[in-house]
């Protein structure tokens, strides 16, 4: 009977586009959940991968003239909006886009061919008799994605109770958000003992209240460390979504400080989707400094750590600077 039904070519094109796009999203989210820094993010991306798969099934059902595909798409869009805003904290705009897509779907399905909209030609119900193989196949794939999500969450091991000697080996497994009551302080020194800096073992565990800077200064050659945190909502409200964008903005701001001249970028490195380092030289009131700016993000905050010293001593202090930056990294 379906062979006698015809719909507008735009609807067919749209359905194929939805299938291709959501297959791509499904794969992307599945990969992302193995590279994020917290179990919350793992489950967020894991759920989005399953929901993207649900959208693929919905589009296929619509191709088979089943209205239930549209209802499945509505359910997936609403749940995805909840995941984006409630779990991944991506902001209201992302969620609104998903809900607007529902209206777009509704409009496209009402495009007419020979004066009849495709929606009126569709059947109600889930038609399990003819579509059971689809439900079984997609159920198996969804189950596999759920198992993968559980497996990914087990790799994000909590670092609580890890010894100082083992801490560096696991510091990149989890971005710790808790503020601890007692802070362990260490003295970091370079191999040549040119300089040493006493600082918290993990800067992210130091008590840094909102708009407060943790500043540390070393007497030998005057290297300094500044750490600042800002909430993700404030950073994203400024149009910044990644540590790289955050680093670029901070470097631009630093270059605009009164007395700053002769800027030269030395190197930049993306440790992961969560950490970015830019090294540059810049004159400040006629004196050349070497800056190491590291930005990183956790599920609720953006941080930056800036270590700098006189440029002529940057080579001698390289080990110390690296040690300081490594102690701050949320995820290499």
């Amino acid at each position: 009977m379906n062979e006698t039904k015809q719909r507008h070519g735009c609807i067919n094109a749209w359905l194929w586009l939805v299938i291709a796009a959501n297959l791509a999203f499904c794969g992307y989210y599945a990969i992302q959940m193995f590279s994020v820094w917290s179990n919350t993010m793992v489950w967020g991306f894991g759920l989005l991968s399953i929901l993207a798969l649900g959208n693929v099934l919905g589009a296929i059902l619509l191709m088979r003239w089943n209205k239930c595909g549209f209802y499945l798409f509505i359910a997936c869009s609403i749940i995805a909006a909840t995941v984006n805003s409630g779990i991944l904290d991506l902001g209201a705009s992302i969620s609104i886009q998903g809900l607007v897509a529902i209206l777009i779907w509704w409009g496209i399905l009402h495009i007419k061919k020979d004066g009849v909209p495709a929606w009126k030609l569709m059947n109600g119900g889930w038609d399990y008799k003819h579509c059971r193989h689809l439900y079984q196949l997609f159920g198996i794939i969804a189950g596999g994605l759920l198992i993968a999500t559980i497996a990914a969450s087990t790799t994000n091991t909590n670092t609580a109770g890890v010894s100082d000697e083992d801490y560096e080996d696991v510091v990149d497994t989890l971005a710790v958000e808790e503020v601890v009551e007692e802070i362990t302080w260490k003295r970091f020194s370079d191999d040549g003992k040119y300089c040493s800096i006493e600082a918290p073992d993990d800067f992210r565990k130091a008590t840094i209240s909102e708009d407060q800077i943790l500043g540390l200064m070393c007497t030998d050659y005057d290297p300094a460390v500044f750490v600042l945190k800002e909430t993700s909502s404030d950073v994203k409200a400024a149009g910044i979504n990644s540590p790289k964008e955050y680093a670029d903005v901070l470097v631009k701001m630093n270059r605009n400080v009164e007395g700053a001249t002769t800027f030269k970028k030395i190197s930049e490195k993306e440790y992961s989707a969560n950490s970015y380092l830019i090294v540059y030289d810049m004159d400040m009131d006629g004196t050349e400094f070497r800056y190491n700016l590291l930005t990183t993000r956790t599920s609720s905050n953006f941080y930056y750590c800036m270590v700098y010293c006189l440029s002529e001593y940057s080579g001698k202090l390289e080990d110390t600077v690296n040690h300081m930056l490594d102690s701050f990294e949320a995820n290499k």
Side-chain angles (χ1 to χ4, degrees):
M1 181 178 177
N2 289 348
E3 287 76 6
T4 64
K5 299 179 181 180
Q6 293 187 5
R7 54 183 160 238
H8 198 281
C10 290
I11 300 178
N12 289 325
W14 175 256
L15 290 173
W16 280 113
L17 178 62
V18 168
I19 291 174
N22 279 278
L23 283 175
F25 283 132
C26 181
Y28 170 76
Y29 294 140
I31 293 173
Q32 280 294 104
M33 67 186 178
F34 284 96
S35 61
V36 291
W37 59 93
S38 71
N39 282 341
T40 299
M41 301 292 287
V42 168
W43 279 100
F45 283 115
L47 289 173
L48 287 180
S49 68
I50 295 174
L51 293 170
L53 185 68
N55 287 336
V56 174
L57 176 58
I60 293 175
L61 289 172
L62 287 172
M63 280 188 165
R64 296 171 68 101
W65 301 95
N66 289 323
K67 288 183 179 179
C68 61
F70 179 68
Y71 302 134
L72 177 60
F73 179 78
I74 293 177
C76 290
S77 297
I78 293 174
I79 298 173
T82 303
V83 172
N84 282 323
S85 60
I87 298 179
L88 297 178
D89 191 26
L90 295 180
S93 61
I94 299 296
S95 300
I96 292 174
Q97 290 174 16
L99 298 178
V100 169
I102 296 175
L103 299 177
I104 296 176
W105 269 73
W106 177 256
I108 290 177
L109 292 175
H110 280 75
I111 296 176
K112 297 179 179 180
K113 182 176 178 63
D114 297 330
V116 181
W119 182 258
K120 284 191 175 182
L121 297 175
M122 290 187 177
N123 304 318
W126 291 94
D127 192 16
Y128 185 78
K129 179 180 179 180
H130 297 98
C131 298
R132 63 184 183 276
H133 59 288
L134 278 176
Y135 300 140
Q136 292 166 357
L137 174 62
F138 277 80
I140 292 172
I141 299 174
L145 289 172
L146 180 60
I147 294 173
T149 303
I150 296 173
S153 68
T154 61
T155 63
N156 284 274
T157 308
N158 196 319
T159 58
V162 179
S163 64
D164 288 342
E165 291 76 16
D166 296 333
Y167 185 79
E168 284 191 13
D169 294 332
V170 298
V171 68
D172 61 332
T173 61
L174 179 65
V176 181
E177 286 294 323
E178 298 84 1
V179 176
V180 296
E181 295 181 359
E182 295 184 2
I183 302 173
T184 302
W185 289 71
K186 278 189 174 182
R187 182 171 292 277
F188 301 128
S189 300
D190 70 328
D191 292 339
K193 305 298 181 185
Y194 290 104
C195 174
S196 62
I197 304 175
E198 192 174 71
D201 186 20
D202 185 339
F203 290 125
R204 291 175 291 104
K205 290 184 179 180
T207 302
I208 311 174
S209 60
E210 192 170 346
D211 299 326
Q212 178 184 354
I213 294 179
L214 170 64
L216 306 166
M217 186 70 72
C218 174
T219 55
D220 298 334
Y221 313 128
D222 287 336
V225 181
F226 289 96
V227 180
L228 176 70
K229 81 171 182 182
E230 297 184 83
T231 63
S232 295
S233 57
D234 288 343
V235 175
K236 291 177 179 178
I240 300 170
N241 296 295
S242 69
K244 182 182 186 306
E245 292 175 348
Y246 193 38
D248 289 337
V249 169
L250 292 170
V251 170
K252 183 177 180 180
M253 293 173 62
N254 198 24
R255 293 180 64 180
N256 290 331
V257 172
E258 185 177 356
T261 59
T262 319
F263 172 85
K264 179 183 178 183
K265 184 181 291 185
I266 303 301
S267 64
E268 55 185 318
K269 177 181 180 181
E270 182 177 27
Y271 286 112
S272 69
N274 312 321
S275 299
Y276 201 84
L277 173 67
I278 297 180
V279 180
Y280 60 95
D281 287 340
M282 188 173 67
D283 287 4
M284 183 64 67
D285 294 324
T287 303
E288 188 177 81
F289 289 89
R290 169 66 57 85
Y291 293 84
N292 297 263
L293 174 66
L294 179 79
T295 57
T296 190
R297 67 178 177 185
T298 63
S299 58
S300 57
N301 295 310
F302 274 72
Y303 296 79
Y304 79 79
C305 173
M306 180 182 287
V307 183
Y308 66 94
C309 60
L310 294 178
S311 184
E312 61 183 296
Y313 298 119
S314 60
K316 297 178 180 179
L317 300 179
E318 184 175 356
D319 292 336
T320 300
V321 170
N322 289 338
H323 202 159
M324 296 288 285
L325 293 175
D326 286 343
S327 71
F328 177 73
E329 288 172 37
N331 191 354
K332 286 186 179 180

